[in-house]
Amino acid sequence: TVIGDTVNTAARLEGMTKGTEHSLFVSDSTRALLADDSILEFVDSMAVRGRADEIRVWAPAATEAPAAQGTFAK
């Protein structure tokens, strides 16, 4: 079992994705650990239950679907 502030914050961020177009939210502290943070887009600063300050929230940046390569035989 894992417990603590980090786990609680991650669980709350996951719960905050419900009702949004995002399936994943990432906090500033996690974003800072990425070698390439250009894959993320800023969503908003949000209040997180149990935290005194709002957290800057990021989500994976929208990408276009790759173009189809060739055709498929039936």
Side-chain angles (χ1 to χ4, degrees):
T1 301
V2 181
I3 58 172
D5 183 54
T6 302
V7 175
N8 290 340
T9 301
R12 291 191 173 116
L13 285 174
E14 186 277 330
M16 291 167 57
T17 63
K18 291 174 180 39
T20 73
E21 63 188 70
H22 304 288
S23 59
L24 174 71
F25 282 155
V26 175
S27 68
D28 253 349
S29 58
T30 300
R31 179 180 165 259
L33 298 172
L34 295 174
D36 179 11
D37 67 358
S38 68
I39 61 172
L40 298 176
E41 63 184 7
F42 179 69
V43 176
D44 201 357
S45 290
M46 299 180 173
V48 177
R49 187 171 48 93
R51 307 287 302 205
D53 298 322
E54 288 188 342
I55 294 179
R56 290 176 47 89
V57 176
W58 302 79
T63 58
E64 293 183 26
Q69 299 292 320
T71 59
F72 296 97
K74 290 186 178 184

